[in-house]
Amino acid sequence: MDTNDSLRVASLWHLMHAISQQLSPTTGCSEIELLEADTFDLHIFQSLTGTKLFVVCEPGTQHMEALLKVIYELYTDYVLNNPFYETKIPIRCELFDINLTQAIQKDRVALLGR
Amino acid sequence: MQFFGGSEISPSPPVPTATGNNAHMMYVFNRNGVCLLYREWNRPLHTLNPQQDHKLMFGLLFSLKSLTAKMDPTNAEKGNLGIPQLPGLGCSFHSFRTNTYKLSFMETPSGIKFILVTNPRTGDLRETLKYIYNLYVEYVAKNPLYTPGTLIRCELFNTALDQYVRSIA
């Protein structure tokens, strides 16, 4: 999926989010947290500032919310605290990428014992 | 998915997985977006009038299916966003959850879409929706007085549906 597709998916998602709030049967609906499909699950975490983190994983993976929170912490540490990073541009911070890969490896080891 | 079973209603009703409140509401759409059925059991909040509500729901499902097919990590060859997906073609979602409700979705090969909105703690409702589809086949599709593509006005179907939904929650 290239950058254009990512942008399209992101804007479509924003629309879906708004519509799903309209269709809620009760008050206080904040956001879609989980989308389950045939071949993958999509977990979403929204911070208080409105930044959304998406994780695509295998169906039925547990403890994704914890992983999302860990990734959000990494984001605040390595991206937002980076003085050369401007908001609204794609993230290109090496330390963030390294730590992200490490966090996912650790998670995979913990979950699957591999 | 096994859609063509025997003459009795099959599969047998699945073990109830839902806890807590009853289901909120249910929609049935056909492939053209016509809302064939809308049942409401517990809906405190109405944001829009019924026509807009149905249109919005159908549009949401169409876009979510398109998005899911595009985001599928296992499928290398994907069309562009917005291409109508044939039933069964490409990866389709079966549920999504927010903090106030869980929406379960099933599309049959004939394009009939079943949507059940329940409380967020509900488990996997795919078997439930399959059972409801079989109820539809028995009471609606096999009803000689029912014209496909119109609003469902079969009392037996409504009663059976209410009874079944009450039993799963």
Side-chain angles (χ1 to χ4, degrees):
Chain A
M1 211 166 65
D2 61 0
T3 340
N4 281 337
D5 283 336
S6 311
L7 285 172
R8 280 191 212 116
V9 166
S11 47
L12 195 61
W13 185 262
H14 187 78
L15 187 68
M16 297 300 102
H17 187 191
I19 295 182
S20 63
Q21 283 182 323
Q22 286 270 300
L23 292 171
S24 166
T26 52
T27 51
C29 180
S30 66
E31 51 148 0
I32 298 181
E33 300 172 335
L34 166 65
L35 177 81
E36 291 170 307
D38 300 332
T39 52
F40 69 96
D41 279 357
L42 177 70
H43 292 256
I44 299 105
F45 172 76
Q46 179 165 325
S47 71
L48 293 167
T49 54
T51 313
K52 294 198 196 11
L53 296 172
F54 294 78
V55 169
V56 174
C57 54
E58 279 190 7
T61 321
Q62 304 292 320
H63 311 305
M64 278 294 126
E65 291 86 40
L67 178 68
L68 277 166
K69 290 209 174 73
V70 164
I71 295 176
Y72 180 59
E73 270 178 43
L74 289 177
Y75 168 75
T76 53
D77 286 340
Y78 293 104
V79 178
L80 294 179
N81 285 344
N82 185 341
F84 298 112
Y85 173 72
E86 299 156 20
T87 52
K88 299 191 193 9
I89 61 167
I91 295 172
R92 283 193 193 91
C93 309
E94 212 180 294
L95 273 178
F96 176 65
D97 291 336
I98 295 173
N99 279 277
L100 185 62
T101 329
Q102 267 178 3
I104 305 220
Q105 292 288 55
K106 220 188 320 170
D107 193 60
R108 189 186 297 161
V109 166
L111 282 180
L112 303 174
R114 285 189 220 155
Chain B
M1 268 218 282
Q2 188 84 27
F3 280 106
F4 306 106
S7 56
E8 72 282 338
I9 295 182
S10 67
S12 50
V15 177
T17 54
T19 57
N21 305 328
N22 282 337
H24 288 296
M25 58 240 199
M26 168 153 179
Y27 300 77
V28 178
F29 292 100
N30 78 350
R31 65 189 335 160
N32 298 322
V34 176
C35 185
L36 303 178
L37 183 77
Y38 170 67
R39 296 292 286 179
E40 189 178 287
W41 298 287
N42 173 24
R43 189 177 189 176
L45 175 69
H46 290 81
T47 19
L48 310 154
N49 72 52
Q51 281 73 36
Q52 279 182 310
D53 192 58
H54 300 330
K55 277 193 223 159
L56 217 55
M57 177 59 84
F58 188 77
L60 176 72
L61 295 171
F62 178 83
S63 309
L64 269 178
K65 265 183 43 142
S66 172
L67 192 130
T68 320
K70 186 77 195 184
M71 285 197 77
D72 185 7
T74 57
N75 187 6
E77 172 57 49
K78 301 165 209 179
N80 293 316
L81 272 179
I83 292 183
Q85 304 284 327
L86 294 172
L89 193 66
C91 176
S92 171
F93 78 103
H94 58 82
S95 75
F96 74 78
R97 189 190 77 210
T98 73
N99 62 332
T100 47
Y101 69 96
K102 176 169 188 171
L103 185 143
S104 306
F105 168 74
M106 185 188 82
E107 183 170 19
T108 71
S110 53
I112 308 287
K113 304 181 197 348
F114 291 86
I115 295 102
L116 194 56
V117 177
T118 55
N119 72 76
R121 289 172 304 281
T122 320
D124 191 354
L125 283 177
R126 274 181 281 190
E127 293 300 317
T128 313
L129 283 171
K130 261 190 244 179
Y131 184 75
I132 294 178
Y133 173 58
N134 281 304
L135 282 181
Y136 165 85
V137 164
E138 292 301 317
Y139 291 115
V140 179
K142 292 187 182 176
N143 184 341
L145 299 173
Y146 171 70
T147 330
T150 60
L151 202 61
I152 296 175
R153 284 197 191 90
C154 311
E155 266 317 305
L156 272 179
F157 176 64
N158 291 340
T159 325
L161 184 64
D162 285 347
Q163 217 171 15
Y164 177 62
V165 167
R166 217 165 288 134
S167 77
I168 63 169

